Amino acid sequence: MKNASGGGKPLDAKDGLYLRAPIGGWLVSIADVPDPVFSGKILGDGFAIDPTDATLRAPFAGVVTSVHRAHHAVTLRAEDGAEVLMHIGLDTVALKGEGFTPHVAEGDRVKTGDPLISFDMDVISQLVRSLVVPVVLTNGERFALAVSAADREIAAGEAVATIAAQGEALSAPAGASDGAAITVKVRVADPNGIHARPAGLVAEAAKSGTAEVIIRLGDRKASAASPVGLMLLGAQHNDELTIEAKGADGAEVANRIAALLGGPELAQTSAPAAAPQAAVAPEVAVAPVSTATPELWGPGVAKTIDGTTASPGLAAGVSVRITSEDFEVSETGADVEQEIKELRAALKTAAADIGAKIAASKGQQAEILTAHLSFVEDPDLRDAAWTMIRDGKSAAYAWKTAIDRQVAALRKLGNPVLAERASDLEDVRRRVLAILLGVSGSATVLPDDAIIFAADLLPSQFADLDLTKVAGIVLAYAGPTAHVSILAASKGIPAIVAAGVGVLCVPDGQPVVLDADQATVRINPPATDLADIRAAVVRRRERLAANRAATQDDCYTADGKRIEVVANLGGPADVAVALESGAEGCGLMRSEFLFLNRTSAPSEDEQYAQYQAIADGLKGRPLIIRTLDAGADKDVPYANLPKEENPALGLRGVRMSLWQPELLRTQIRAILRVKPYGQCKILLPMIATLADLRDVRRVIDEEMKALARTAPIEVGIMVEVPSAALISKTLAAEADFLSVGTNDLAQYTLAIDRVNPRLAKQLDPFHPAVLRLIQLAVEGAKAHGRWVGVCGSLASFPLAAPVLIGLGVTELSATSGSIAEIKAMVRTLDIDKCKAVAEAALALESGEAVRRMLAQSWPEV
Ligand code: PEP
Ligand code: MG
């Protein structure tokens, strides 16, 4: 791709500042720097100079904000806040300062042209692969960069680029008069802040009226109609927002938005025509994204990098780097009207394509596409693109640049949930560019057993990969809930994410071992290890194939104990895969998927149709439908949940249902109508007390009577709260069965928020404390002859089966992808051995120790 260049036009800094060449040499496009960290603009946009001088000088007057301890890189901040990183050479961090002489220290003030770092060209050029000096604007979310044409000689001090503060959409000061007629203050209720889903719903609400609506957070503001602008506010849970609406239906729209963001009873509305209030600057505890220089290394270097498991498994293969920039765009447009027409047409085609795909998809795929559609229609993105086209840019350049800025800004907010959504924006960029440039998706030609290394993978890039060649995926960014993680897990491809920019420095063709179970990737491991792992991977593949071949048989332990292995489902679309995988029924149908991402609850008939479709699809096999488990991380805006300090400890699960009994009644009626009677059972989430169970029982009994149904329905409780395990005997007296939700049980037992990425590793369902509560639950259930299943993620680990069966669990409800392996494992077990394993696990000191013990006993699993 060619650099953002001024196409030979003279630079004009207007109110901004000139960025001068910090060194003489050959000016190169940033996209041509042979390092994806720079060419992919991961650290920001800019340019590079292949130096002929040996002294790096200040490209503008400012303050030195950092000098790398290896003295090869320096950042400088201008008075207006623009910050520029200059990095001498590639791989030079490894020199640990050899050959560099810094002339400045952090905090020094410098004038344009002052020397910053000198270096010994002869020494350094012998030691590293390139001396090129990338010069990068690191806060592109606040400043716009225009770079002059590359591929020419340049003298130190010559103006190469201009930096200007961005438009006010991102940084207008609070209190700038908009003549707002109504002001509503609200606190963000969503535990993840304003991310894609709430942003999309707010934008939808904003567009439903005629009022012009602005939302402020501290000194930032965004148009309520722009999902991207809203995400860029960086609003976190509990932040105070000010909604300002101007227009005839201003009050109505503002209140609707306030209800979506924070619940209506907490929104305080000021008198109409009140002057807009300056919002209080929020105390946002967001860690800034590091702009630290990544370590680089050459071929043959052995490294181990840790990340977070996105999809478990083991793989051995060779590294293949994939960069997300596939398209070359020319910066300069032809005719303004023509470019606008082309971009309009491309956006229309993209929207139609996405719309058609939404109609043809379900569940998570449909959710992902709906977010993409809202980006295609985003007014802020479009406005930014129109402005650039009017300034003489091409349609492709304008669209690409408009999205790039927002992506950089989202990544720099330091909010992991929002950073994950940046890849959705990139996907939309790619889709529209493909239409504009008339190219189809770029399928990378992969070697066998490719382990993909990338900053991120867009869902459409993932779709382009030849998955028969992909052995594993390692991503610098993304998170375990990113769309690429969901897709990798659904295809059974081992993947780790959030592994840091170091993964981008792995050259192609290196031998790699990926142990996604342990969230570790080893580059250039010892040859003997590699051979062992390759052999283990082959054995594993053969074993999986054999397991799949035998998966349709019912499941018994080797000594004849019946263990039901059933599937967790999200809707009718999951049934076929579950049955193909060998599921003997459904142990957990998460009904909340029918309720999420909509503006009103599904009607009784709508729900009934879905439940009946699942029951029919299961062809008589058992179906356990869990009633709506909303609240906390599962947002159902129309339930109008109040804002709570700790929503995970508040109105969620069955408490929310009892607080909104009409939602519960409607759902119960829909479930009670499913035929044949007896196939379908009800499961209640988040039961903490006997009163919870009795209250729902009463509703069920009343609705049975109303429907004149006399055939009984089994009602089970989820054990997700320690209290439920502790009083399981009391609960089992009135519940027909118990199903342990280890995701929440681990959260509440270990006091670790399940959506906190920093503590994700410690949230371990194998922890002996969690296992001990499962033991208690089984003991209580046995006293009344009730059976106990596990439907939390622990059940999906084949290695957990011996422990759970040893504790007395007789049903495992797992993800479809793990069913064949679980069944194969169960068939090798006998009850005495399981009991011994469970007892040993309970006596261990940590979840890690339990996993280790199990991995030693079953090294091939
Ligand atoms: C659980 O908590 O383990 C569970 C199965 O419920 P969910 O993950 O849907 O909260
Ligand atoms: Mg749960």
Side-chain angles (χ1 to χ4, degrees), residues 59-74:
F60 48 74
V63 175
V64 176
T65 45
S66 74
V67 179
H68 195 283
R69 64 180 189 287
H71 297 158
H72 67 298
V74 57

Side-chain angles (χ1 to χ4, degrees), residues 568 588 590 592-593 626 629 633-634 652 683 685-686 718-720 739-748 754 790-794:
N568 291 347
L588 170 66
R590 286 183 162 101
E592 57 271 17
F593 286 123
R626 178 171 74 182
D629 181 25
D633 58 324
K634 294 169 189 164
R652 62 159 297 198
L683 180 59
M686 291 287 299
M718 288 200 70
V719 178
E720 298 175 286
S739 185
V740 183
T742 51
N743 307 334
D744 277 310
L745 190 60
Q747 157 167 264
Y748 295 119
R754 64 190 274 185
V790 174
C791 61
S793 66
L794 186 60

